Each structure stands twice: as C-alpha cells, then as structure tokens.
Amino acid sequence: MSFFRRKLMMRWATEVIHFHDDEVKRILVEKYGGSTGGELGRIPGYTGELTHKQAAQITYIGPKITGSTGEGGLLSFNDKIVSLEDLKYLKNLTEIGFLNLVRLPNLERVNLKNIEYVGYNLLAYCHKLKEIALPNLREIKERECVVSLQSIETIDIGPSVQRFQWLSFFRIPTLKRFILRAKTPPQTVAGWFGPTEYPEPWKGKIYVPDESVELYRSTEHYSNFGEQIRPLSEYEQ
C-alpha cells in the first residue's frame, strides 16, 4: 500500500461521523464513542462524537439476552429514532438476528445497506414503516422475518439473496410491491411469502429482472404467483 493511501485511510479512521439521526448519534456516542471509545476499550476519539474507526468495531446491536422479546437492543424500543441511515457507518455490522431491531414506532423508511443476514421479526412493531430495502441481503436465516407490519407498501431485495425461509414475509396485507432483484430464484420452501391470509387474495406485484420472469413463473414456490410476477422494467419506468 502506498504512503499516500495509508495516510488517507488513517485520516478517514479518525474523522467523526456526521449523523442523520440525533437519537442514533446519542446512543452510539454514549456507548461506543467519545474520547475513549466507551465499551470498545481504548480507541481514542473526540468528546461527544463517534469516529469511523470506533464505528468499525461495532458488530452487534441486539439485546444481550438471546431469546428475549427485544428489550435491551441497542436501537430498539425507541420512539425518537426516525431514521436508520446511520447504520451504514457500522461497516462490520452485517447481521440483524432474532429480535435485534424492533419497536421503532416513528420509522417510515429504512435502507439497511450493510446487512447481509437477517433473522426472526426484523423491525417488528414498526407500524409506520412503509418501505424496507435490503440491497445486499444474502439470506434470511430464520422463519417469520417481516411479519404483521401495518403500513408496509414496498419491500426491495437486492441481487445477492440466496435463501428465504418459511413465512419470511407474512401478514403484511398493505404490501403493494415486492422487488426481488436476484436473477436466479432464491432457495425457499412453500409458504415463504404470504402477505394476506387465506382466503383473502393478495393483489400486489412481484418484480424480478426482465430476463428472469419466465424462470420465476416456472420455479416451485414462485410459480403460484403467475402473472403477478412482473418484469422489473415495469416498476422502474
């Protein structure tokens, strides 16, 4: 690595993060930032701020007790958070597991850019939430991932996803569009996608890459959606 590149990286590591959400900043600075790095140990920074180097040490935001109902999650149970845009600065946070991020009642849109793996009840009880984007998702690792949200209209899944589970998307009758950018249908099981409960029909659309429409329509566990599977170009027009 060149001297110039090393110097740039060192400068970036010590730069403070310019947050979008004041409450997210307060929580992260209080726990992991400031002049000493908080619970991260001896990672020097600046009073009242979080540096990129400090943020890079954060790998987990869930409650300490596995199997809880989400209490104690770093960013959960909080009515002051209105944006999770700042999670993109946590470069090594790639998984949100079992009830790790729940009950954010004033959140309306979220783009979890870094997240590759998600588990049970992602964003549960976020009832104002209208849009979820997971552009780098690779796998849903547990059943009942996005369920029982009252306002969700759009779910956008990126091209790298490989696997869904049973009831990955369930009881979300307000959903209008499910965007699935993977050219190859992800591995899954019967019942992976059920926005409405029988006998109520779901009237939304599943958008997939144009060249993959017929593949999805002929693949087990997707074929039952038939003409509701539409080319992505229709959505992006």
Side-chain angles (χ1 to χ4, degrees), residues 28-44:
L28 293 181
V29 169
E30 183 177 289
K31 195 170 182 70
Y32 299 122
S35 60
T36 64
E39 293 184 12
L40 297 172
R42 303 178 68 85
I43 303 178

Side-chain angles (χ1 to χ4, degrees), residues 177-190:
R177 56 198 75 86
F178 184 82
I179 301 145
L180 184 48
R181 299 178 185 273
K183 292 182 180 181
T184 301
Q187 297 177 32
T188 192
V189 296

Side-chain angles (χ1 to χ4, degrees), residues 187-207:
Q187 297 177 32
T188 192
V189 296
W192 71 276
F193 186 80
T196 56
E197 295 186 79
Y198 182 84
E200 182 184 356
W202 180 60
K203 298 180 181 180
K205 298 288 191 294
I206 298 174
Y207 293 97

Side-chain angles (χ1 to χ4, degrees), residues 108-111 129-133 151-155:
E108 294 189 8
R109 291 172 175 79
V110 62
N111 187 335
L129 191 60
K130 294 182 178 181
E131 297 180 15
I132 299 174
S151 303
I152 194 71
E153 296 180 354
T154 303
I155 297 174

